[in-house]
């Protein structure tokens, strides 16, 4: 239980207590040690944090600070990863903070059935990410590129129009291919989830992202997903498989928005 | 096909934020209840994009990432 009003309890994830794993050596957000809070057969991994850093006002501005966000995200991820290696885990969203341990216990009790069901659902399963980038044919990368090379004339304008329409046609075909890829991957998965494609600005890759998704599969080997990627990837789509991830994308409770 | 995310390569922050902010169980903690009006994903992505923009502005144009494949 936190003894002062200056501290709060940060929650990383919920799991079930088990004999072989201990939080003792783990360091979490703000370099704070990680410990567990138990209630019945559930265990929350938590750290005591300062309200000066994780209180409402502080969080509001810290979330605008990329350095802070990155440190918190990597620390949160590290704890979740370590835990997920040992046991099924329900990761919590970044920056879930309670006023004290007692409030965490109360939440574990209140949502016990849903948390337990979620742990059961995720047991023995892993999340894999797939991104598909569109490899445009080299002669179409920029239909406007030769604007600077010659003056607009009829032949030029026609050529440019035709390049643009070819570009659009190819892009639509690539989108269809990305959708077929997603459908095939989803068909092999227990669950799937699409995220918005990441802008080129953030990926540092000039190729347009057409698919950004996660798939939940039975077991820890993504061979079936990899086979589909080999089949669908190629000259048009460049596919990347990542993981295993802790099941961030599939940790949802029945009545989440209650 | 590339398999990423293994220990030889740190997880990209943007992939992490997709999942840590777009996924995970959303139980409104005591603090986040009062932050309810704030979309964490939006706020952090805005921070990310602002920082990337700054980074690009600081570099001479010739070293931008375009075409370096």
């Amino acid at each position: 239980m936190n003894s002062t009003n200056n501290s709060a309890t940060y929650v990383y994830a919920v799991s079930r207590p088990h004999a072989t794993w201990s939080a003792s050596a783990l360091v979490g957000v703000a370099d704070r040690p990680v410990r567990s809070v138990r209630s019945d057969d559930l265990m929350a991994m938590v750290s005591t944090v300062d309200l000066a850093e994780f209180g409402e006002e502080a969080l509001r501005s810290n979330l605008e600070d990329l350095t802070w966000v990155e440190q918190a995200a990597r620390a949160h991820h590290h704890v979740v990863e370590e835990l997920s290696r040992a046991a099924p885990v329900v990761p919590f969203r970044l920056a879930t903070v309670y006023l004290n341990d007692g409030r965490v216990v109360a939440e574990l009790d209140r949502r016990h059935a849903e948390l337990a069901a979620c742990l059961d659902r995720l047991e023995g399963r892993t999340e894999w990410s797939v991104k598909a980038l569109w490899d445009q044919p080299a002669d179409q990368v920029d239909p406007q590129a030769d604007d600077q090379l010659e003056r607009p004339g009829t032949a030029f304008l026609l050529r440019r129009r035709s390049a643009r329409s070819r570009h659009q046609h190819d892009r639509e075909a690539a989108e269809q291919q990305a959708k077929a890829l997603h459908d095939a991957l989803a068909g092999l998965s227990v669950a799937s989830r699409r995220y918005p494609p990441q802008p080129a600005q953030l990926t540092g890759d000039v190729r347009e992202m057409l698919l950004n998704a996660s798939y939940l599969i039975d077991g820890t080997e993504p061979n079936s997903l990899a086979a589909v990627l080999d089949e669908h990837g190629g000259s048009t789509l460049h596919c990347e498989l990542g993981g295993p991830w802790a099941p961030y994308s599939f940790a949802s409770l029945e009545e989440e928005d209650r | 096909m590339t398999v990423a995310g293994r220990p030889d390569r740190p997880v990209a922050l943007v992939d992490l934020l997709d999942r840590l902010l777009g996924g995970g169980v959303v139980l409104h903690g005591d603090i986040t209840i009062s932050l309810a009006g704030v979309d964490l994903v939006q706020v952090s992505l805005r921070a990310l994009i602002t920082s990337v923009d700054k980074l690009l502005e600081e570099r001479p144009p010739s070293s931008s990432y375009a075409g370096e494949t």
Side-chain angles (χ1 to χ4, degrees):
Chain A
M1 208 62 64
N2 309 112
S3 53
T4 71
N5 290 334
N6 300 326
S7 62
T9 305
Y10 182 104
V11 182
Y12 303 92
V14 165
S15 182
R16 290 199 171 94
H18 44 98
T20 57
W21 192 80
S22 132
S24 56
L26 268 183
V27 174
V29 292
D31 291 331
R32 293 306 176 87
V34 178
R35 56 196 175 81
S36 59
V37 170
R38 288 179 63 160
S39 173
D40 196 6
D41 61 344
L42 294 179
M43 172 180 87
M45 303 312 303
V46 306
S47 285
T48 301
V49 292
D50 289 334
L51 279 177
E53 188 173 357
F54 288 87
E56 183 188 349
E57 282 313 306
L59 264 187
R60 205 183 283 271
S61 65
N62 283 336
L63 285 166
E64 302 261 9
D65 171 0
L66 186 65
T67 308
W68 189 93
V69 169
E70 174 155 21
Q71 278 171 359
R74 292 205 184 280
H76 184 104
H77 179 59
H78 175 64
V79 173
V80 169
E81 284 270 283
E82 288 296 314
L83 182 61
S84 72
R85 266 191 256 279
V89 54
V90 174
F92 276 32
R93 184 163 286 192
L94 189 73
T96 305
V97 183
Y98 290 87
L99 290 176
N100 53 52
D101 287 8
R103 302 276 302 174
V104 176
V105 169
E107 191 76 326
L108 291 182
D109 291 344
R110 193 169 76 88
R111 311 299 292 262
H112 182 277
E114 296 150 85
L115 287 165
C118 191
L119 281 168
D120 289 342
R121 192 164 51 81
L122 296 173
E123 181 154 17
R125 294 174 167 164
T126 49
E127 172 174 340
W128 294 82
S129 60
V130 171
K131 291 186 284 189
L133 300 157
W134 178 31
D135 268 326
Q136 294 180 59
D139 63 330
Q140 291 176 30
V141 168
D142 187 356
Q144 298 172 13
D146 55 0
D147 274 14
Q148 287 122 26
L149 299 182
E150 55 183 304
R151 290 168 187 281
T154 309
F156 164 75
L157 290 173
L158 284 174
R159 200 163 60 244
R160 193 172 67 176
R161 188 184 302 161
S162 131
R164 277 186 183 153
S165 97
R166 202 166 62 227
H167 174 89
Q168 195 171 350
H169 175 268
D170 287 354
R171 190 183 178 286
E172 277 163 16
E175 266 189 334
Q176 285 301 318
Q177 226 175 319
K179 187 181 178 302
L181 170 64
H182 170 72
D183 290 345
L185 292 167
L188 292 170
S189 309
V190 177
S192 65
R193 178 167 176 180
R194 288 185 81 156
Y195 290 102
Q198 298 162 353
Q201 199 183 14
L202 296 187
T203 59
D205 195 312
V206 288
R207 295 172 294 190
E208 182 182 359
M209 190 178 289
L210 295 179
L211 178 66
N212 180 24
S214 262
Y215 303 89
L216 185 69
I217 59 165
D218 282 321
T220 55
E221 289 303 323
N223 298 341
S224 56
L225 301 181
V228 170
L229 293 187
D230 283 339
E231 198 182 308
H232 283 74
S235 59
T236 316
L237 290 181
H238 169 82
C239 303
E240 291 177 6
L241 177 66
W245 291 86
Y248 292 105
S249 306
F250 305 101
S252 62
L253 304 186
E254 293 289 312
E255 301 170 66
E256 197 150 85
D257 295 321
R258 183 161 74 179
Chain B
M1 191 191 73
T2 315
V3 176
R6 291 291 182 181
D8 57 320
R9 190 169 129 186
V11 176
L13 181 61
V14 59
D15 292 340
L16 202 52
L17 290 183
D18 271 346
R19 287 165 184 81
L20 262 63
L21 294 170
V25 159
V26 190
L27 286 183
H28 292 297
D30 295 330
I31 305 297
T32 34
I33 273 182
S34 46
L35 280 174
V38 181
D39 184 332
L40 298 188
V41 183
Q42 289 305 320
V43 167
S44 294
L45 283 183
R46 200 163 63 226
L48 196 54
I49 287 170
T50 311
S51 304
V52 171
D53 283 347
K54 251 185 235 158
L55 202 67
L56 293 179
E57 276 167 24
E58 284 162 11
R59 287 186 196 164
S62 59
S63 71
S64 78
Y65 54 76
E68 273 180 17
T69 41

